[in-house]
Amino acid sequence: MTGARGTGRSAVGVMSRPGLPFEAGLRVRSGSGVGSSVVRAAIVVVLLNFDQFPRLIARGFVVTAVLLAVPLILHEFLRPVSRARVVVFWVLVLFGVLALPGVARAPESEYGQQKFFLLVTLTMAAALAVAVLRGPRDVEMFAVVFVVSGLVLAVAALTGDSEGGRASGFGSNPIWLARAVGAALVALTWLYLRRRLSAWPAALLAVILLLGLIATGSRGPLLAAVVAMFFLVLAGLRLKIRQVRREWVGLTLMGALVLVVAALPSLLPPRVYALVVDPSEELFGSARAAMREATMPIIAENPGGIGYGNWGDYSGMAVYRYPHNLWLELPAEAGWLVGGSLVLAVLAVAFGLWLVSRREPAAGLVLGLLAFYAVAVSTSGDINGDRPLFVVLALGVLVLAGARARAAGGRLGESRRRARAPAWGTMSPVRQASEGGRREHTRRARALG
């Protein structure tokens, strides 16, 4: 570890050495400093949350992030030890599959053309931007910057204008605003469980985020946050550490919160109260339920999909344009193969993160965010509005690549240690005779004793 500091090697380079865990990068001084980690993390967060800010600022954010991301990704490709190539490869594979329906059948409507164009540009660029993150220190900095962004949006939700009793922050969609704030709450919880924050500051920030989330009146992101918290705490309990007191405290508090809500649902905002008291209305009597019922026959009758942007024409609900559920939208418009590929990708990454969460703390963060967005995309947004899900999938690939490198390094180190250990058959004749005489002397002494 000291040698790494002396030579100025990067955190990723040190992590590739045998026997050092993926987490070691958090404790190793790398060639890139804190400023570099902040810039890399900010690029990813900006491409995640830019559309929650005023339009002029959002455009500046996007242009700046892309201009910074392109040279950084190219630089990562040239480094001898880098996860960027793995991330870029799998992102291109995934978006290549998603683009197939649009290539085979060009979108006909203006909405469909815009949808396909944004899919292969901005949405894919946001996922590719994850390649700028080098390792666990950058992932942790991503969580920090993500929380800061969420706090700004939560304060805007609490102090800004509202539409129909629902906060919109800087004028964005309340549901998408709730996603940004709710995901920040998940990241904050992970930082607390990782002991990067003490109890009182973490509690204060959590209250601000929770109040901002409730102010939006969005039920889907609130439910997603609850689900994500349980996955996050369970992943923390799997870590091979001696003390897991914070995880148990978190699990107890969440259980108590559920009991309070069940006993006193009137404490909740009206829309959330209606969901808790009578969920059948949301499941069977809402507009989303009607969208679901209209989409299922489309999926069943069109295995190859109906084409991007055509859901409104086929469903008879053109006013909505898309079913507000990614798990229904993709099979309906892109076909069974494409929709199934995304489901398989999410399950594979989630399963891999669950397995490595015993030794990789960053896996818990990504698993919690993946659970959050997997639930959130089932309530609103089209494939481009669900951009964060693809970013988190790329983040999961990054963490899994690091875990795999660590495991391979450990096996290589063990092989080298075994190779250095002299076997009996490889000893010199003089040493063999000396070793044999010593063992014979010991055997006779024990027999006489």
Side-chain angles (χ1 to χ4, degrees), residues 49 53 143-159 170 177 180-185 188 197 201-210 212:
N49 289 344
F53 292 89
V144 173
V145 178
F146 200 30
V147 170
V148 173
S149 173
L151 287 169
V152 173
L153 294 173
V155 172
L158 292 171
T159 59
F170 295 110
L177 174 62
V181 176
L185 183 60
L188 174 68
L197 287 171
L204 176 61
L205 298 179
V207 168
I208 296 174
L209 291 172
L210 185 60

Side-chain angles (χ1 to χ4, degrees), residues 154-188:
V155 172
L158 292 171
T159 59
D161 297 332
S162 61
E163 300 177 3
R166 302 180 64 184
S168 58
F170 295 110
S172 65
N173 185 302
I175 298 178
W176 294 357
L177 174 62
R179 288 186 189 179
V181 176
L185 183 60
V186 175
L188 174 68

Side-chain angles (χ1 to χ4, degrees), residues 128-142:
L128 287 172
V130 174
V132 305
L133 303 179
R134 288 187 170 182
R137 188 178 68 173
D138 288 351
V139 173
E140 183 170 305
M141 188 59 69
F142 162 79

Side-chain angles (χ1 to χ4, degrees), residues 20-83:
L20 287 179
F22 182 60
E23 186 190 0
L26 293 174
R27 300 186 298 274
V28 179
R29 182 181 176 184
S30 67
S32 60
V34 175
S36 174
S37 292
V38 172
V39 170
R40 294 169 186 274
I43 289 172
V44 181
V45 174
V46 162
L47 291 174
L48 265 177
N49 289 344
F50 73 90
D51 45 5
Q52 311 307 318
F53 292 89
R55 181 169 297 182
L56 185 60
I57 296 177
R59 290 177 178 175
F61 279 169
V62 171
V63 173
T64 303
V66 172
L67 290 177
L68 289 174
V70 171
L72 283 175
I73 292 176
L74 292 177
H75 177 262
E76 289 301 309
F77 262 79
L78 299 177
R79 297 177 68 243
V81 180
S82 174
R83 313 285 179 256

Side-chain angles (χ1 to χ4, degrees), residues 264-290:
L264 302 170
S266 59
L267 298 175
L268 298 171
R271 298 181 79 251
V272 181
Y273 172 82
L275 177 64
V276 173
V277 173
D278 187 15
S280 62
E281 177 65 22
E282 178 66 22
L283 294 175
F284 305 108
S286 65
R288 284 177 174 77

Side-chain angles (χ1 to χ4, degrees), residues 51-314:
D51 45 5
Q52 311 307 318
F53 292 89
R55 181 169 297 182
L56 185 60
I57 296 177
R59 290 177 178 175
F61 279 169
V62 171
V63 173
T64 303
V66 172
L67 290 177
L68 289 174
V70 171
L72 283 175
I73 292 176
L74 292 177
H75 177 262
E76 289 301 309
F77 262 79
L78 299 177
R79 297 177 68 243
V81 180
S82 174
R83 313 285 179 256
R85 289 183 287 273
V86 178
V87 173
V88 170
F89 173 78
W90 285 111
V91 168
L92 292 179
V93 167
L94 176 60
F95 278 87
V97 173
L98 293 174
L100 284 176
V103 174
R105 178 178 179 178
E108 302 167 0
S109 65
E110 181 180 353
Y111 166 65
Q113 294 169 1
Q114 181 188 45
K115 184 176 188 175
F116 181 69
F117 175 75
L118 289 176
L119 175 66
V120 297
T121 53
L122 186 57
T123 302
M124 184 174 68
L128 287 172
V130 174
V132 305
L133 303 179
R134 288 187 170 182
R137 188 178 68 173
D138 288 351
V139 173
E140 183 170 305
M141 188 59 69
F142 162 79
V144 173
V145 178
F146 200 30
V147 170
V148 173
S149 173
L151 287 169
V152 173
L153 294 173
V155 172
L158 292 171
T159 59
D161 297 332
S162 61
E163 300 177 3
R166 302 180 64 184
S168 58
F170 295 110
S172 65
N173 185 302
I175 298 178
W176 294 357
L177 174 62
R179 288 186 189 179
V181 176
L185 183 60
V186 175
L188 174 68
T189 304
W190 180 78
L191 289 172
Y192 169 72
L193 296 179
R194 291 290 300 135
R195 296 169 175 80
R196 301 303 186 254
L197 287 171
S198 57
W200 287 111
L204 176 61
L205 298 179
V207 168
I208 296 174
L209 291 172
L210 185 60
L211 291 177
L213 176 58
I214 293 175
T216 65
S218 299
R219 297 165 292 186
L222 184 60
L223 175 62
V226 173
V227 174
M229 290 296 183
F230 277 103
F231 275 95
L232 190 62
V233 172
L234 290 176
L237 291 174
R238 283 174 54 82
L239 274 174
K240 292 183 177 179
I241 56 178
R242 294 181 179 180
Q243 296 180 351
V244 291
R245 181 173 60 86
R246 293 194 175 197
E247 283 78 2
W248 283 114
V249 170
L251 194 62
T252 302
L253 290 176
M254 283 189 289
L257 180 62
V258 171
L259 291 177
V260 169
V261 170
L264 302 170
S266 59
L267 298 175
L268 298 171
R271 298 181 79 251
V272 181
Y273 172 82
L275 177 64
V276 173
V277 173
D278 187 15
S280 62
E281 177 65 22
E282 178 66 22
L283 294 175
F284 305 108
S286 65
R288 284 177 174 77
M291 295 178 199
R292 182 175 63 249
E293 294 177 0
T295 307
M296 296 307 294
I298 298 176
I299 297 175
E301 297 169 5
N302 300 274
I306 58 177
Y308 283 126
N310 294 331
W311 179 85
D313 296 332
Y314 279 77

